[in-house]
Amino acid sequence: MTVEAKFYRDTWAEINLDHISYNVSETLRLLPENTKLFAVVKANAYGHGDVQVAKAAVEAGAQGLAVAFLDEALSVKRAGLSVPLLVLGASSPQAAKMAADRQISLTVFQKDWLLEAEKHLEEGQLLRVHIKCDTGMGRLGVKTPEELNELAAFIHRSPKFFLEGVFTHFATADDLSTDYFEEQYGLFASMVDSLEEKPPFTHCANSAATLRFGKTHLNAVRLGISMYGLSPSEEIKQELPFPLKQSFSLRTRIVHVKKLKKGEKISYGATYETSEEEWIATLPIGYADGWLRKLQGQIVLAGGKRVPIVGRVCMDQCMIRLPEEMPVGTEVTLIGKQGEEEITMDDIARKMETINYEVPCIITARVPRIYKRNGEIVEIVNPLSE
Ligand SMILES: *Cc1c(COP(=O)(O)O)cnc(C)c1O
């Protein structure tokens, strides 16, 4: 497959599917045999590509998929996989029919919602639902065993719903201090305990809980960030049960190189001034690609060397200072490995004063995604060319 057939600008993200597979299979080794792994592929698989990651995860042994919204579930369905697919966020009652049609499971937590959705479901249609419990995240869910049982009873009575799961979500599973996590876990355990009839899936673990607390595995876990090879937080890095492999790299190529005299200015605002004769190169990537202005000063890799971004990041371009002349076309790694050097997602997150989750999510669709297996390109996705 040739890259030229799919895009012309020399900026792309590389997704290593072998690393997704590795992170999934290493996680499966931690789980009891009857615990299913749901791969969380919301937000276009955290910017990595929903269909490609879903396929890789299921091939590696994931037995379920989860997304945030029904629209995302419909997109993931294009992968043609037959594993359970759960929408974690709230859906409108009107969406119930489409979800039932496509055998997509929805999250529910209000009786009014069920009453309304029932009207939109046709005779003979069956919608699978998971009840969300709010044990301390304060986002979605029923808050007491009574509410949980009332909803469960309603679902059991209705011929149009099937109670497939009960779940909750932790707010602090990635904190070193575990008090609040234990509180949430205890509340969830007592809520599930209060149910006379247990659904097929009870689940609570995100990546952090899956990797750290075996007791949260229950019969399903929802693996997001660590499937992409990223640690749920900086502070639990030293506790990870196996070394995660980052899947996402971001690369570009130098499009222009020039030698500037001392005292020349670079980019908008003329905030950078050369302090001596300097080699300055231009890269075709900017904030419209998600390479934000906050990244002024960030180190990137050019010709195997660590070099800084100088001057303000523009919408479509930015400049770097080279230690010596390098040819136009030199590959530059913004995130990922080059030779012996590496810029991690965490390095970029730190510079952007955010968490690693946010970084690949905001690399925009203008940046083509190249998928690799065994070092070979297996697919290229570029929405601009479709
Ligand atoms: C996003 C999400 C997950 C995955 O969390 P990670 O920290 O990325 O593993 C799990 N459950 C719910 C409800 C989520 O919204």
Side-chain angles (χ1 to χ4, degrees), residues 205-383:
N206 54 6
S207 296
T210 302
L211 298 174
R212 297 176 76 202
F213 310 116
K215 69 177 178 187
T216 63
H217 293 167
L218 308 182
N219 53 26
V221 300
R222 306 184 303 270
L223 200 72
I225 197 74
S226 66
M227 174 172 62
Y228 304 100
L230 305 174
S231 175
S233 69
E234 290 274 5
E235 57 196 278
I236 65 156
K237 265 189 186 166
Q238 68 274 15
E239 282 187 27
L240 297 176
F242 62 90
L244 297 167
K245 292 188 181 174
Q246 186 176 305
S247 169
F248 190 102
S249 303
L250 183 63
R251 304 192 204 278
T252 187
R253 286 183 199 279
I254 292 175
V255 292
H256 185 52
V257 183
K258 62 212 171 267
K259 189 196 240 174
L260 294 187
K261 294 198 278 286
K262 180 179 179 197
E264 294 201 69
K265 314 270 202 209
I266 306 286
S267 194
Y268 289 117
T271 59
Y272 181 82
E273 188 181 308
T274 55
S275 56
E276 54 188 329
E277 247 186 21
E278 289 178 10
W279 285 102
I280 299 293
T282 304
L283 305 179
I285 183 167
Y287 61 76
D289 301 299
W291 192 250
L292 303 187
R293 294 171 82 249
K294 260 257 168 78
L295 293 167
Q296 177 168 357
Q298 171 61 35
I299 299 295
V300 301
L301 306 173
K305 302 222 163 73
R306 301 175 73 84
V307 306
I309 293 175
V310 293
R312 288 190 186 148
V313 173
C314 311
M315 186 183 287
D316 318 298
Q317 300 167 80
C318 63
M319 274 62 82
I320 55 177
R321 185 181 68 225
L322 302 177
E324 69 229 354
E325 185 175 14
M326 288 185 195
V328 164
T330 298
E331 190 168 303
V332 175
T333 297
L334 307 167
I335 302 173
K337 287 188 175 150
Q338 188 182 88
E340 299 295 296
E341 296 285 351
E342 180 175 15
I343 309 288
T344 66
M345 200 71 81
D346 292 334
D347 292 333
I348 302 301
R350 223 172 291 123
K351 181 74 180 170
M352 283 170 36
E353 297 178 75
T354 182
I355 53 173
N356 56 18
Y357 290 72
E358 211 175 49
V359 180
C361 281
I362 62 169
I363 301 298
T364 63
R366 191 168 78 168
V367 178
R369 265 61 168 176
I370 295 185
Y371 294 90
K372 286 193 164 178
R373 280 274 190 203
N374 296 316
E376 302 279 327
I377 298 175
V378 291
E379 188 177 351
I380 298 169
V381 174
N382 176 21

Side-chain angles (χ1 to χ4, degrees), residues 40 42 46 88 132 139 167 169 206-207 222-225 357:
V40 180
K42 63 192 181 191
Y46 297 33
L88 299 164
K132 180 80 185 276
R139 198 163 64 176
F167 74 111
H169 190 54
N206 54 6
S207 296
R222 306 184 303 270
L223 200 72
I225 197 74
Y357 290 72

